[in-house]
């Protein structure tokens, strides 16, 4: 009976999580970076008889994140579950890494988590209940050659999640 947003839900881990949440009775809003991806999410949810739909969302666009969460809140209710799963890799040795490859990875994998979490948090605080799960990677702890940007984002997601839990854990989130 909860409303769940799953970023990066068009395939892989995000798709699996979206399906499981739907099977558990959540209304699932899955995000994808393209309309084709959003349509794919809507199709697989419908095919499995699950409530929800896909939406196109670029987590690098702060206005788009706020607008999407506001629209979801208006149309189906405030999100009570957030799965931060959207992510990219732009693997390259640091000496060869371009500024854009660094920035895109941080904007998507880390700043996107901040934006979606912040946009959903007020509704969760009001309800005194929420669940936020942010997908990280062992690479955020161990590092990996050619993945300085990715590893930095995943370590950031771990630290972000730990800090956020200390801020809002006592409020049922």
């Amino acid at each position: 009976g909860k409303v769940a947003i799953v970023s990066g839900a068009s395939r892989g881990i995000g798709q699996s999580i979206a399906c499981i949440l739907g099977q558990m009775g959540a209304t699932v809003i899955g995000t994808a970076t393209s309309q084709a991806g959003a349509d794919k999410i809507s199709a697989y949810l419908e095919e499995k008889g699950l409530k929800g739909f896909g939406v196109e969302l670029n987590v690098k666009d702060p206005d788009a994140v706020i607008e999407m969460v506001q629209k979801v809140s208006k149309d189906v209710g405030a999100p009570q579950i957030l799965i931060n799963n959207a992510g990219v890799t732009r693997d390259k040795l640091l000496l060869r890494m371009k500024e854009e490859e660094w920035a895109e990875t941080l904007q998507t994998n880390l700043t996107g988590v901040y934006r979606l979490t912040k946009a959903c948090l007020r509704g969760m605080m009001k309800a005194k209940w929420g669940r936020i799960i942010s997908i990280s990677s062992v690479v955020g702890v161990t590092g990996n050659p050619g993945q300085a940007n990715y590893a930095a984002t995943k370590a950031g997601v771990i630290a972000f999640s730990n800090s956020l839990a200390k801020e809002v854990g006592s409020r049922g989130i």
Side-chain angles (χ1 to χ4, degrees):
K2 308 286 186 195
V3 174
I5 293 178
V6 181
S7 69
S10 62
R11 58 189 169 84
I13 293 170
Q15 183 178 24
S16 295
I17 292 170
C19 288
I20 290 169
L21 286 170
Q23 290 164 358
M24 294 174 72
T27 299
V28 177
I29 292 76
T31 77
T33 57
S34 68
Q35 188 57 52
D39 292 344
K40 179 181 174 185
I41 294 165
S42 295
Y44 75 66
L45 290 172
E46 183 178 341
E47 179 182 301
K48 293 178 182 296
L50 304 174
K51 292 186 287 186
F53 52 89
V55 295
E56 182 178 1
L57 178 68
N58 178 354
V59 297
K60 296 183 293 181
D61 181 343
D63 295 331
V65 170
I66 292 166
E67 289 169 17
M68 185 273 296
V69 172
Q70 287 175 344
K71 183 166 179 18
V72 166
S73 296
K74 181 178 170 235
D75 293 350
V76 294
Q80 297 152 302
I81 301 168
L82 172 62
I83 310 296
N84 285 307
N85 177 65
V88 298
T89 56
R90 299 293 180 258
D91 297 351
K92 197 170 279 181
L93 294 174
L94 189 64
L95 282 172
R96 295 192 177 116
M97 188 177 295
K98 294 181 178 140
E99 182 80 23
E100 301 81 42
E101 293 162 329
W102 174 266
E104 181 181 6
T105 306
L106 264 72
Q107 282 291 311
T108 302
N109 298 6
L110 184 55
T111 306
V113 169
Y114 154 78
R115 287 185 180 127
L116 274 168
T117 301
K118 186 173 180 184
C120 292
L121 205 51
R122 190 170 309 279
M124 292 178 184
M125 300 263 296
K126 191 174 182 179
K128 297 183 175 124
W129 194 95
R131 298 296 180 262
I132 301 167
I133 300 168
S134 298
I135 306 300
S136 188
S137 168
V138 68
V139 173
V141 176
T142 64
N144 209 25
Q147 290 192 312
N149 52 358
Y150 182 78
T153 66
K154 294 307 181 175
V157 166
I158 293 166
F160 174 89
S161 299
N162 287 334
S163 295
L164 183 65
K166 290 177 180 180
E167 288 183 27
V168 300
S170 64
R171 295 183 167 107
I173 302 168

